[in-house]
Amino acid sequence: MIQNRIKRLMVLCVLACCMSAPLAATELVVWHAYRGAEKEAFQAVCDQFSAQSDGVTVKTLAVPYDAYADKITAAVPRGKGPDVFIFAQDRLGGWIEAGNTVEPIDFYVDDEMRERFLDNTLDALTYRDIIYGLPLNFKCIALIYNKKMIDSPPKTSAELVALAKKHTNAEAGRYGLAYAYADFFFHAALMNGFNGGVFAPGPRPTLNRPENVKSVELILKWSKQDGILPAEPSNALITSLFNKGKAAMIFNGPWFLGEIDPSVDYALAPLPALDEAGGNPMKPWMTIEGVYVAAPSENKDAAFDLVNYLTGAEAGKVMALKGRQLPANKAVYQLEEVKKDPIMQAFVTQSKVAVPMPNLAEMSMFWSPATTAMNTIIRGTATPKDALDKAQVQVEKAVAKLRKQ
Amino acid sequence: MSRKIKDESSPILIHVVLITFTAMTIYPLLWVLTIAFSGKQSLAIALLPENPTVWDRLRAIIPFPETVSLANFIEVITEKNFLVWMGNSAIVATLTTLLGVFLSCTAAYAFSRFKFPGQRAGLMSFLVSQMFPGTLMMVPLYIIVVQWLNLGNTFWGLILVYSTIAIPFCVWMLKGYFDTIPIEIEESAIMDGASRTVIFFRIILPLAKPAISVTALFSFMAGWNEFIIASLLMEEEKMYTAPVGLKFFVGEHATQWGSFAAGSIIVSVPVVLLFMYTQKYLVSGLTAGSVKG
Amino acid sequence: MSISRNIFRVTLGLFVGGLVSAFLGYWFAEGALREKVAETRVRQGTIRAMALADLVFAEQSRAEKEKTAPGALIQFWQQRHNDVDAVRVMRLSGARLLASSFNDDLENGTPPRRLKRSEKEIYDLGQLLRANVDTNREEGNPREPEVISEELRNGRLRVSVPWFTAKNPEKAAGYVQLEVSPTITTRELAFWPVLVLALVPAFLFFIGSLILSRLVKLEHPESVLWSAMTTSVLLMIFCLLGFGNYYLIDLGQENVRFQQELAQLYTASRTSAEEGAAEFALDYETTYTNDWDVNAYRQPLRYISFDGELYIGVGTAQDTVANRLGMAFFGCSLLAIGLLVFFGLGGAARFWHIIVDYREAYIYTLPAMTGMLVLVFFPFGYGILLSFTDQTLYNTEKPLLDIWAGLNNYIEIIGDFNLIQTTEAGWSFNYQNFYWTLFITVAWTVVNVSIGVTIGLILALLLNNKNLRFKALYRGLLILPWATPNYVTALIWKGLFNREYGPINHTIQLFGGEPVAWFDSVFTSFLTGITVNGWLSFPFMMVICLGGLQSISSDMYEAARLDGANRWQQFRYITLPSLKPTLIPAVILSVVWTFNMFNVIYLVSGGEPGGSNEILITKAYKLAFQDYRYGYSAAYSTVIFLILLIYGVFQTKVSRAMESNA
């Protein structure tokens, strides 16, 4: 008796489930590497999309950053991956060359869509003149200063040095300026300010071009001659210096804001212009998180709708306000809440002169030689020219070995 | 007489040496504790004031947080899914242990008790398997487990991989131990009409308990601390293991050191407990395993 | 009796060898023929498509006013060529479909029109071709296909080639896509040689030996084995040669026929292209072009002259398909002879007996071995295979045979003796060189294992004191580095070594020393790695030693003391020898683990300064994931493996020798 009843009940349940569920529901799987507030905001946006669209639900999967790229490389080309995934542009070239990973979406992108993003951000996701993804959020470094020590942020490098000198007392471990200048990602702001760069159009390495040498010489002057920078600038040291009020100004990105001690009263400003480079602004590298449709996805149309929605103004608002991210959608910065936010405005101003980091696969070959070059230069064991020449030879060799077929 | 001679080396000296070594050993771990209990996310760096005194310098090298707080631990534990991940890890590591130990016991028994062609080569092949660098084998491994065996997003996929990682060491250790168990025991059992299987399960395995606990520990660790393969194979957040969850604290640009340290302490606790528990076996187990009959 | 057994075995060997190699050879021959047909079909489609692309070029290069949609042109083309089923002409600018006779396209609206959202694939193909043309031109070295062909399920072929305009002859403006029913076919491959090879040698041999054994009585029947083997091998080779040659000649003949058909096709295309040009009043220069017959990179093959004649030798020489088939046959022959010898000399019988006799042992090892085979040795074999290729990020989709590099990777690694760099400033080591890295790796391993063993042994000796108090506590604490996840502790150690705030430098300064920039010089950076790894690895050694010590009977010490041995002598002559059997397997394993200890180097020093402290495994990792040279990196891994293998074999030999001496 009881068994029968249970059976009947189960049948009823199954029936009910079948009827309530929309026929042929599409499930879109999205992979990302967000956590904390960013993850919550992203989840909220995905839920909004699910609620809005008929029969499409979004399922998200967060992957730890350290394993994320490997997971995409292994899973996506074998058709076991998501429909949509998010990653910064630095891996894009490699995935496109490897094939069957990122779907070109050039065709979907009309002029109106192109217009909605901050300058340059779409370029970062364009490879061989084909658009492969839409920009979601961007990240770049800006000037962060301690309000107690700095009244008005410097506009030019001369002002920067003068101000920094005032707040430097190396004996006491106080520095006017601190940033990870040995790290090429940070150094790129100076390099690009001199109109330098690491790859010429195409994958031709140009590490030792004269502009780059000049930019490194300027760093040497700041750290050795002016003495405004700490000797071994690791991220942990910079955090500590700034939190203890021992660094007046630092260059850092949005990810750093969470590490600032609540007791520090800080503000942001764009990086100063370089008098040494004819008043050119410092142009930091910008990383852009792109939203991509996975090439083997079976629901590309729906997937693109999601990409479109995620990079739209409505989603941007949630990510900006709830996730404290920097959406690449221009319209977000016209919102009253965002307009009032000096931090977001500072980064957006900075982004106007920022340069997207190259998305070539060959970028990965550049980091290690470049780091070595910067370290030897700062240690004083080689002149900027020699060190960069040596790095150039190394990168050239690696690039030639790869593109020979 | 003998006791007297043993006592001639001063126990105080021994204690001094041991304390020094132990202090040096746990010093880095104390920093992990310091960061975990600091309640902050940044690495604990003691910046020296102007003209540092000896005391300032001493303070800088003593691992103790400026303020003690449990905030990091609370954050980790209340992190959505963290307890689920711990549970998953427990399941995976336990089953890895069972499977790994079973597979290595049978293989080691054969290598120890039978003389057969390919014996040396077989034993050597387990050693050889440790020689090829595994870092580059992720994609082939993925293809085998997910595409061929269709074990993606399952615990079994992970368990299989972890067991095979642990097998070589386990086989070598167990084989050595089995060698020391007198063959006469088995011979008399055979006389009594027992089959090989019965002998293996009823006589050999109970006798080898100490060695088995060593290999069990080793297999457990293989399954407990790994994160790359786990994040590669799993397709749902609910299926992740604890080390994967831990890695979420390491971002692209910034690491949440406080939570990371607290999390790794939480993750290490079961291993340490297990370690303490098997210590006795561990020592005697390895001993016997290494002495060849 | 034994004579007939030998004869039986050899006959069986001939049969099995013949059967296996015949089927395998047939499979290869069929594959080669199919490949040849596919290749020729693609060429057929390509010729048609390229010819039309030239017409489209002429048509689209006209002045803006005269330009018409090429709808009439494709209609004309389709009428002239029976094999062309449907045509599509697409233009990138404005994402336009200029003309089409595909049913799907027509249902979506009559061209010329803009592409619809559902027609994304049509557009993407155009972008892909455009990008490929650009890439090949910029890099001056073709690597991306400019002719894309796809075989459809219904046997048809879809070929797409870019078209250009006179205004911008280097940039693809769009593409022409043809769906073709290829007219080139081939007949079934003859099967009878397979039966001949499988049966005839065995039959001949068996009959022959029967007759012989009737005619001649031998005194030593065993001695006949060798002559039987020789005869059978010769017989086998003879049959194999016949078998292989039959299929190779067959393939060659088919190939010549294909080329002739292609030449006819080519002429027909040229005639209709000229007529089309006249009909549509196109400024179309056909006189000098002969580049419709192209490979996937749009490089002219030049097998067919402008007049549609075949160039001499085409179809026989330089045919990769035939060459490869020849090599496959060679492999099959080796296999056949191998099987013959294996069976003939009784290897198979012995093998079978071994399996049966020792089945219990094999059953016990089977589960573990299967696991290892599938999850460890299979990827491992793939890695070794990869090491003989030139695989990089840019050619992962190509079959391994096409990018076969032989021993090149190994030569590049081992043959590079560029160990010392001389610059104006003087000379320095080239840290990128293999031998430097090998030196560092060996030094790293030797130092680490010695430290691990020494510290482990000392601590074990100290803890091996029955009367020592807090023994369990010490042991528990000393074991901790082994128990905590090493990716956390390695990073903490990195912090400890920081120049400005690292506690280690604070300690040095506390005692009045100067802070050390640990990661700036080769030696100090090496030291950091050693420290961290020593810290991580001594607990393992300590536990092993502790175990070993407890097995030593105290009687031995007692006796030694009675003989007046001092503590050092006791250690030297009792403790160490007794520990040896414990230590040696542990040392071997820890050498292997340390040699491949990726985490510590990667997380602590990162190989600084300048990659000088890189070890082989981190180098292999960088080669794969930074330089994207998968084949080369696999070769690096294989070299690591070989070094360790040599060490392992040597070490086990030595320790076994020592054991037998003792």
Side-chain angles (χ1 to χ4, degrees):
Chain A
M1 260 302 266
I2 291 175
Q3 265 190 342
N4 257 338
R5 259 191 213 168
I6 290 176
K7 261 188 195 165
R8 248 181 242 163
L9 210 70
M10 274 166 69
V11 170
L12 271 179
C13 278
V14 170
L15 272 179
C17 287
C18 289
M19 281 159 82
S20 64
L23 291 170
T26 316
E27 191 188 60
L28 290 175
V29 177
V30 187
W31 285 2
H32 62 89
Y34 293 130
R35 65 166 312 280
E38 296 187 346
K39 184 178 170 181
E40 275 164 35
F42 186 74
Q43 186 64 48
V45 172
C46 287
D47 291 346
Q48 272 179 27
F49 178 80
S50 302
Q52 276 182 16
S53 47
D54 252 358
V56 182
T57 52
V58 181
K59 195 179 136 193
T60 60
L61 175 73
V63 183
Y65 181 78
D66 274 5
Y68 190 28
D70 287 342
K71 190 172 167 85
I72 289 172
T73 308
V76 177
R78 285 165 195 89
K80 298 278 183 184
D83 297 289
V84 172
F85 63 95
I86 295 167
F87 210 97
Q89 86 269 28
D90 53 341
R91 289 295 194 115
L92 185 61
W95 282 327
I96 293 167
E97 293 289 357
N100 204 24
T101 311
V102 193
E103 175 78 10
I105 54 165
D106 211 56
F107 184 61
Y108 292 138
V109 181
D110 50 31
D111 291 345
E112 194 191 331
M113 225 179 263
R114 275 169 215 266
E115 282 306 304
R116 81 179 184 210
F117 299 111
L118 294 168
D119 299 345
N120 290 338
T121 52
L122 199 57
D123 293 348
L125 308 176
T126 307
Y127 189 80
R128 303 200 301 190
D129 293 336
I130 302 175
I131 297 171
Y132 280 91
L134 293 186
L136 186 65
N137 297 310
F138 75 89
K139 285 187 174 117
C140 67
I141 59 168
L143 173 70
I144 306 173
Y145 60 95
N146 190 325
K147 270 184 169 169
K148 268 190 203 140
M149 298 151 93
I150 307 283
D151 297 325
S152 68
K155 294 266 187 296
T156 65
S157 55
E159 283 176 43
L160 175 84
V161 172
L163 253 180
K165 270 188 179 165
K166 220 170 72 186
H167 292 283
T168 302
N169 180 356
E171 297 277 288
R174 291 177 174 281
Y175 297 95
L177 178 65
Y179 74 101
Y181 53 90
D183 182 340
F184 224 91
F185 179 79
F186 287 86
H187 178 68
L190 276 173
M191 176 187 75
N192 293 327
F194 278 90
N195 290 329
V198 289
F199 286 100
R204 218 160 296 120
T206 54
L207 233 73
N208 57 350
R209 64 167 99 162
E211 297 89 341
N212 294 4
V213 175
K214 269 189 222 157
S215 73
V216 178
E217 280 166 355
L218 183 59
I219 264 297
L220 271 185
K221 178 179 163 279
W222 284 0
S223 71
K224 297 272 142 65
Q225 210 174 311
D226 299 329
I228 52 174
L229 291 160
E232 197 176 278
S234 73
N235 282 314
L237 178 71
I238 289 156
T239 316
S240 276
L241 285 173
F242 194 70
N243 280 342
K244 301 246 160 76
K246 292 187 166 187
M249 294 175 277
I250 57 169
F251 298 163
N252 223 325
W255 56 86
F256 180 75
L257 302 178
E259 296 185 32
I260 299 178
D261 201 275
S263 63
V264 178
D265 187 14
Y266 69 93
L268 275 82
L271 298 173
L274 292 169
D275 299 318
E276 294 81 353
N280 247 1
M282 284 171 82
K283 300 173 189 166
W285 263 343
M286 175 162 57
T287 54
I288 289 116
E289 288 158 12
V291 199
Y292 314 104
V293 175
S297 163
E298 278 164 14
N299 299 307
K300 283 178 195 160
D301 232 26
F304 181 76
D305 286 341
L306 175 63
V307 171
N308 187 15
Y309 180 80
L310 287 175
T311 54
E314 202 181 311
K317 184 182 168 188
V318 177
M319 282 189 283
L321 299 177
K322 200 171 171 187
R324 302 296 298 153
Q325 282 152 295
L326 297 162
N329 192 311
K330 272 191 230 170
V332 172
Y333 301 93
Q334 300 308 316
L335 296 166
E336 279 311 311
E337 299 102 305
V338 180
K339 262 188 182 169
K340 276 186 293 190
D341 190 324
I343 293 174
M344 293 214 168
Q345 291 304 329
F347 279 119
V348 130
T349 316
Q350 186 65 70
S351 82
K352 283 181 183 138
V353 293
V355 180
M357 201 163 75
N359 60 13
L360 293 165
E362 280 79 0
M363 267 306 272
S364 64
M365 301 169 189
F366 137 88
W367 290 110
S368 165
T371 311
T372 305
M374 287 306 276
N375 283 340
T376 48
I377 292 165
I378 287 159
R379 220 181 294 141
T381 43
T383 65
K385 175 92 180 97
D386 287 346
L388 289 176
D389 279 347
K390 205 171 154 190
Q392 166 75 9
V393 170
Q394 235 175 305
V395 181
E396 252 174 12
K397 214 168 120 190
V399 171
K401 287 268 157 68
L402 184 61
R403 293 228 181 196
K404 69 184 167 189
Q405 268 87 31
Chain B
M1 170 74 181
S2 68
R3 186 164 290 170
K4 227 178 178 181
I5 293 173
K6 257 191 190 155
D7 283 351
E8 80 191 345
S9 63
S10 137
I12 294 168
L13 193 70
I14 293 178
H15 277 291
V16 167
V17 174
L18 279 175
I19 287 170
T20 319
F21 259 112
T22 314
M24 272 157 50
T25 304
I26 58 170
Y27 184 70
L29 296 169
L30 290 179
W31 278 106
V32 180
L33 282 174
T34 306
I35 296 164
F37 282 103
S38 70
K40 288 181 189 152
Q41 290 302 351
S42 51
L43 281 174
I45 296 177
L47 290 176
L48 296 179
E50 203 167 348
N51 304 322
T53 59
V54 172
W55 169 244
D56 287 328
R57 289 201 186 280
L58 211 56
R59 178 68 194 85
I61 59 175
I62 292 174
F64 198 79
E66 283 168 33
T67 47
V68 178
S69 146
L70 286 174
N72 288 329
F73 288 91
I74 292 165
E75 195 197 325
V76 172
I77 295 203
T78 52
E79 166 100 19
K80 203 181 136 204
N81 285 336
F82 190 80
L83 294 176
V84 176
W85 295 335
M86 285 294 278
N88 290 348
S89 267
I91 295 170
V92 169
T94 310
L95 288 175
T96 298
T97 310
L98 291 177
L99 185 69
V101 168
F102 176 73
L103 292 182
S104 355
C105 276
T106 50
Y109 180 69
F111 283 120
S112 161
R113 278 302 184 264
F114 301 112
K115 280 260 167 284
F116 58 95
Q119 189 180 22
R120 276 248 299 278
L123 203 55
M124 196 65 190
S125 77
F126 284 107
L127 183 65
V128 165
S129 73
Q130 304 287 292
M131 294 174 176
F132 203 82
T135 21
L136 310 166
M137 298 284 104
M138 283 303 152
V139 172
L141 194 69
Y142 182 87
I143 293 174
I144 291 168
V145 176
V146 176
Q147 287 200 296
W148 297 0
L149 303 176
N150 207 11
L151 288 174
N153 203 27
T154 60
F155 289 151
W156 282 112
L158 273 189
I159 291 162
L160 268 182
V161 174
Y162 294 156
S163 318
T164 44
I165 289 174
I167 281 176
F169 172 83
C170 298
V171 167
W172 272 66
M173 275 300 150
L174 282 170
K175 190 241 171 211
Y177 191 85
F178 290 154
D179 282 348
T180 64
I181 299 175
I183 199 149
E184 289 79 18
I185 302 178
E186 277 164 82
E187 276 164 0
S188 64
I190 289 180
M191 296 272 219
D192 294 345
S195 74
R196 274 279 183 205
T197 328
V198 171
I199 294 173
F200 177 65
F201 282 104
R202 292 278 170 79
I203 299 175
I204 299 295
L205 288 192
L207 276 176
K209 243 185 215 160
I212 290 172
S213 52
V214 177
T215 50
L217 188 75
F218 191 85
S219 310
F220 189 86
M221 302 245 289
W224 186 261
N225 276 339
E226 202 284 336
F227 91 95
I228 288 247
I229 300 172
S231 33
L232 209 62
L233 296 186
M234 294 307 171
E235 285 154 23
E236 274 171 85
E237 276 170 53
K238 286 222 152 49
M239 299 293 282
Y240 282 154
T241 56
V244 180
L246 210 56
K247 273 283 175 175
F248 272 116
F249 296 116
V250 183
E252 183 185 359
H253 293 282
T255 302
Q256 288 179 291
W257 281 105
S259 309
F260 191 43
S264 54
I265 288 169
I266 296 173
V267 169
S268 317
V269 165
V271 182
V272 174
L273 289 182
L274 197 68
F275 225 118
M276 295 296 192
Y277 174 71
T278 46
Q279 233 198 83
K280 213 168 31 188
Y281 291 127
L282 191 70
V283 174
S284 52
L286 283 173
T287 315
S290 48
V291 177
K292 287 188 83 179
Chain C
M1 220 27 233
S2 80
I3 190 178
S4 67
R5 202 171 69 199
N6 279 337
I7 295 301
F8 177 72
R9 278 182 185 160
V10 173
T11 311
L12 189 67
L14 277 170
F15 175 66
V16 173
L19 192 73
V20 169
S21 61
F23 271 98
L24 214 56
Y26 181 77
W27 186 67
F28 280 125
E30 211 198 1
L33 189 61
R34 225 181 300 128
E35 198 181 331
K36 199 76 222 173
V37 173
E39 187 188 296
T40 316
R41 287 178 167 202
V42 169
R43 274 170 70 192
Q44 170 176 10
T46 310
I47 290 171
R48 295 279 195 243
M50 288 291 286
L52 180 58
D54 271 1
L55 286 175
V56 172
F57 167 88
E59 203 271 340
Q60 289 293 309
S61 300
R62 286 199 283 204
E64 203 60 41
K65 272 182 202 160
E66 300 168 31
K67 224 189 266 183
T68 50
L73 196 62
I74 66 164
Q75 217 177 356
F76 164 81
W77 195 250
Q78 234 173 310
Q79 276 165 4
R80 295 297 304 255
H81 302 291
N82 285 335
D83 54 340
V84 178
D85 297 310
V87 183
R88 178 185 278 154
V89 181
M90 183 266 175
R91 194 184 74 191
L92 275 170
S93 99
R96 289 185 76 76
L97 188 65
L98 293 183
S100 175
S101 56
F102 279 80
N103 283 336
D104 292 353
D105 294 352
L106 296 173
E107 275 168 26
N108 273 330
T110 335
R113 59 171 172 84
R114 201 186 153 81
L115 286 169
K116 296 238 161 66
R117 189 179 152 110
S118 59
E119 296 171 320
K120 175 169 179 286
E121 278 177 24
I122 298 177
Y123 177 82
D124 283 351
L125 183 60
Q127 279 285 39
L128 179 69
L129 278 168
R130 198 260 317 140
N132 288 356
V133 171
D134 288 352
T135 307
N136 292 346
R137 189 188 61 242
E138 276 160 22
E139 291 175 16
N141 206 358
R143 67 174 171 91
E144 300 278 13
E146 296 181 20
V147 175
I148 292 180
S149 53
E150 182 194 0
E151 217 162 324
L152 302 178
R153 286 237 179 84
N154 54 14
R156 288 184 185 176
L157 192 73
R158 213 172 252 196
V159 183
S160 319
V161 299
W163 58 267
F164 302 80
T165 58
K167 211 192 283 173
N168 198 350
E170 297 217 303
K171 195 117 187 150
Y175 68 94
V176 174
Q177 185 174 57
L178 260 60
E179 199 165 291
V180 185
S181 303
T183 50
I184 290 169
T185 49
T186 185
R187 54 190 154 70
E188 274 297 297
L189 203 58
F191 190 71
W192 60 265
V194 174
L195 298 177
V196 170
L197 182 61
L199 301 174
V200 168
F203 183 73
L204 280 182
F205 180 80
F206 190 67
I207 298 293
S209 26
L210 266 188
I211 294 167
L212 265 179
S213 65
R214 286 285 157 84
L215 294 179
V216 196
K217 283 269 178 265
L218 283 172
E219 283 176 34
H220 303 288
E222 288 81 15
S223 65
V224 96
L225 180 61
W226 291 106
S227 46
M229 273 319 292
T230 322
T231 325
S232 61
V233 166
L234 285 175
L235 190 63
M236 194 76 187
I237 289 175
F238 181 74
C239 290
L240 283 166
L241 279 175
F243 177 85
N245 269 316
Y246 174 82
Y247 284 119
L248 278 172
I249 289 169
D250 194 57
L251 182 73
Q253 281 170 349
E254 282 295 272
N255 190 17
V256 171
R257 192 169 64 78
F258 292 158
Q259 304 294 337
Q260 283 163 350
E261 279 190 40
L262 278 177
Q264 281 169 17
L265 262 159
Y266 177 83
T267 319
S269 291
R270 189 167 64 100
T271 320
S272 43
E274 278 162 3
E275 285 171 15
E279 192 173 329
F280 293 94
L282 297 173
D283 176 26
Y284 177 60
E285 288 286 306
T286 46
T287 42
Y288 69 94
T289 52
N290 180 29
D291 49 9
W292 295 343
D293 187 23
V294 293
N295 66 10
Y297 305 110
R298 282 198 316 124
Q299 291 169 318
L301 290 167
R302 306 227 189 273
Y303 293 159
I304 302 168
S305 79
F306 177 67
D307 302 319
E309 299 285 321
L310 280 185
Y311 285 117
I312 299 161
V314 166
T316 45
Q318 299 293 321
D319 184 6
T320 47
V321 178
N323 285 348
R324 223 180 270 168
L325 181 61
M327 266 154 73
F329 279 146
F330 184 69
C332 287
S333 308
L334 288 184
L335 181 71
I337 291 167
L339 282 170
L340 170 61
V341 173
F342 185 59
F343 276 85
L345 296 182
R350 241 171 290 144
F351 188 70
W352 176 246
H353 280 240
I354 285 173
I355 298 267
V356 173
D357 289 351
Y358 299 98
R359 62 182 177 283
E360 215 172 8
Y362 291 120
I363 288 170
Y364 272 93
T365 48
L366 199 65
M369 270 297 178
T370 316
M372 296 294 288
L373 213 63
V374 174
L375 290 169
V376 179
F377 290 111
F378 190 83
F380 184 121
Y382 178 76
I384 291 178
L385 192 67
L386 208 60
S387 73
F388 294 107
T389 71
D390 221 345
Q391 197 183 65
T392 65
L393 175 70
Y394 291 135
N395 58 19
T396 34
E397 76 284 359
K398 283 190 186 162
L400 292 185
L401 266 184
D402 287 0
I403 43 173
W404 198 256
L407 289 173
N408 283 356
N409 288 329
Y410 293 95
I411 293 168
E412 193 183 331
I413 295 168
I414 298 175
D416 179 12
F417 294 107
N418 192 14
L419 188 56
I420 285 168
Q421 285 173 329
T422 38
T423 49
E424 293 153 27
W427 65 274
S428 62
F429 283 111
N430 174 14
Y431 297 140
Q432 313 308 319
N433 186 280
F434 168 75
Y435 291 100
W436 171 266
T437 314
L438 180 64
F439 165 71
I440 286 287
T441 314
V442 171
W444 156 264
T445 310
V446 170
V447 175
N448 264 319
V449 175
S450 328
I451 288 180
V453 173
T454 317
I455 295 184
L457 187 59
I458 291 174
L459 288 175
L461 284 171
L462 291 179
L463 285 172
N464 191 36
N465 185 337
K466 286 218 172 59
N467 303 316
L468 192 72
R469 280 211 262 172
F470 312 119
K471 202 163 52 173
L473 181 68
Y474 285 130
R475 220 192 270 151
L477 288 175
L478 286 170
I479 249 163
L480 282 176
W482 190 13
T484 36
N486 64 10
Y487 51 79
V488 180
T489 43
L491 287 172
I492 292 296
W493 269 104
K494 192 185 164 92
L496 296 185
F497 278 114
N498 189 286
R499 181 175 152 191
E500 289 207 22
Y501 61 81
I504 292 176
N505 272 351
H506 281 320
T507 314
I508 293 175
Q509 281 168 301
L510 190 64
F511 293 105
E514 280 295 307
V516 181
W518 291 98
F519 300 113
D520 279 5
S521 85
V522 182
F523 181 67
T524 51
S525 180
F526 186 73
L527 270 186
T528 62
I530 296 292
T531 314
V532 179
N533 200 56
W535 180 83
L536 281 170
S537 60
F538 84 84
F540 174 75
M541 280 298 173
M542 182 186 81
V543 170
I544 299 269
C545 292
L546 261 177
L549 286 174
Q550 257 139 36
S551 72
I552 306 172
S553 141
S554 53
D555 300 350
M556 289 169 78
Y557 291 107
E558 207 101 342
R561 269 195 296 275
L562 289 178
D563 288 348
N566 63 22
R567 284 195 147 249
W568 168 248
Q569 282 167 327
Q570 285 174 33
F571 174 75
R572 175 74 186 76
Y573 295 105
I574 300 173
T575 317
L576 265 191
S578 317
L579 276 179
K580 228 175 231 162
T582 329
L583 272 178
I584 280 170
V587 166
I588 295 176
L589 271 171
S590 99
V591 164
V592 172
W593 288 337
T594 313
F595 207 85
N596 283 339
M597 178 45 95
F598 176 80
N599 269 4
V600 172
I601 295 284
Y602 189 75
L603 295 175
V604 179
S605 72
E608 281 296 297
S612 58
N613 270 300
E614 216 68 81
I615 58 173
L616 290 170
I617 174 78
T618 56
K619 203 72 172 288
Y621 179 86
K622 276 194 174 170
L623 285 168
F625 295 103
Q626 289 185 3
D627 291 0
Y628 297 119
R629 298 181 65 196
Y630 305 133
Y632 189 64
S633 170
Y636 235 88
S637 303
T638 312
V639 170
I640 295 176
F641 165 66
L642 289 176
I643 293 169
L644 285 174
L645 188 67
I646 292 168
Y647 162 77
V649 170
F650 179 75
Q651 176 77 71
T652 38
K653 279 250 164 70
V654 167
S655 51
R656 202 171 296 131
M658 287 194 309
E659 262 170 54
S660 52
N661 282 344

